[in-house]
Amino acid sequence: MMITDLLKVASETHTYQELSEVLGLSPPILSRYMRGHVLPSYSRAQGLYKKLTELTNIKEALKKRIMFDEEGYFDNTPLTSEITWLKIMSNYAMEKFAGRRVTKVLTAAVDGVPTATLVANLLDIDLVIAKDNKEVGIQEFIEEMYIPKGSAIRKSLFVPKSSIRKKDSILIIDDVVRTGETVQALVDMVRNQRADIAGIYVLVTVGEDWKNYLENIISKYSFEVLIQI
């Protein structure tokens, strides 16, 4: 099924005929694969995956979709709502963290939730969403306080107390990292519960400030970034 998503991305810059020549498949077969009407066999999918990743640089393709405004903010629609890109970003996480013990996926609300949900679904494990408020109906919470850079305000992230346990091995996912405070808070939350960190996956990093702030985390844990801007 990864082939279906990669073909959709490749078709944005290549015609069916061009893809047919590169992949050695007829345009009708490519069309069926792309629409999901027919799926390639596992052995054929392996060969197509190699060729498609060489043909389509998903990192550069995604980077071209991210447009900044004059104030330095960008439209994160591909990160939050475009299902083809959400699946590609989720499959990238599967590839990078394959073989690791992961019992739960942890992210902060709200924009990291779509990718984190798909990754948790692929791994068939629970999803934990850290929120900035306490929801009614939950009696006890794990709270992690942090101070955003350049502010004098304490903020907190909350998860239900039973959602992170000592036996867990947590994969942390964040959508956009500029300074790194949210990632640090999520890491501290897991550490304070004496659970393990399976790795950290960031979809987009902006600038260089985060590297110094998260230096100890980057050196200690498996830290994967999809694209850097």
Side-chain angles (χ1 to χ4, degrees):
M1 295 184 70
M2 293 172 64
I3 300 304
T4 298
D5 299 321
L6 289 173
L7 280 171
K8 290 178 181 178
V9 174
S11 68
E12 295 179 0
T13 54
H14 297 78
T15 66
Y16 271 25
Q17 188 59 46
E18 289 172 338
L19 291 174
S20 175
E21 293 173 359
V22 173
L23 301 176
L25 297 174
S26 67
I29 291 295
L30 289 176
S31 177
R32 294 189 187 103
Y33 286 169
M34 193 177 303
R35 288 172 171 76
H37 295 166
V38 177
L39 294 178
S41 65
Y42 182 72
S43 59
R44 173 172 283 184
Q46 286 182 306
L48 290 175
Y49 179 79
K50 181 178 180 180
K51 291 179 180 179
L52 283 169
T53 51
E54 292 174 353
L55 181 68
T56 304
N57 187 326
I58 62 171
K59 294 186 178 186
E60 289 301 319
L62 179 58
K63 190 179 293 187
K64 291 178 181 178
R65 302 294 299 276
I66 297 177
M67 305 298 294
F68 283 83
D69 62 18
E70 58 274 7
E71 296 181 356
Y73 296 98
F74 64 85
D75 180 1
N76 66 350
T77 300
L79 308 181
T80 60
S81 61
E82 294 185 10
I83 193 62
T84 295
W85 277 111
L86 287 171
K87 289 192 290 183
I88 287 174
M89 292 185 293
S90 302
N91 285 324
Y92 182 88
M94 291 290 292
E95 179 183 348
K96 294 301 180 181
F97 295 98
R100 294 180 179 271
R101 176 177 173 268
V102 183
T103 61
K104 289 175 183 173
V105 173
L106 171 65
T107 192
V110 291
D111 288 344
V113 172
T115 299
T117 300
L118 290 184
V119 173
N121 180 65
L122 288 170
L123 293 171
D124 195 23
I125 57 177
D126 290 340
L127 171 67
V128 182
I129 301 174
K131 301 180 181 179
D132 59 6
N133 54 66
K134 294 182 179 181
E135 295 184 323
V136 296
I138 301 174
Q139 299 301 315
E140 295 182 286
F141 292 87
I142 299 168
E143 178 181 1
E144 190 61 45
M145 290 190 298
Y146 67 103
I147 301 175
K149 186 176 181 180
S151 75
I153 301 173
R154 289 184 182 273
K155 298 186 70 175
S156 291
L157 292 175
F158 301 93
V159 300
K161 187 174 182 179
S162 61
S163 61
I164 300 177
R165 300 184 181 277
K166 184 178 179 181
K167 65 180 180 180
D168 283 322
S169 182
I170 309 287
L171 174 59
I172 295 172
I173 295 179
D174 201 4
D175 62 323
V176 179
V177 170
R178 294 176 183 269
T179 54
E181 286 95 342
T182 302
V183 169
Q184 181 69 64
L186 293 173
V187 168
D188 290 342
M189 178 179 282
V190 175
R191 284 172 170 170
N192 290 339
Q193 299 306 305
R194 301 175 67 186
D196 294 330
I197 295 175
I200 300 157
Y201 175 42
V202 177
L203 304 182
V204 178
T205 59
V206 181
E208 301 290 330
D209 291 348
W210 62 275
K211 291 183 179 180
N212 292 329
Y213 187 79
L214 298 176
E215 183 178 0
N216 291 334
I217 290 175
I218 295 170
S219 63
K220 185 173 183 179
Y221 302 110
S222 177
F223 196 102
E224 291 291 340
V225 176
L226 180 59
I227 63 172
Q228 300 185 45
I229 298 176

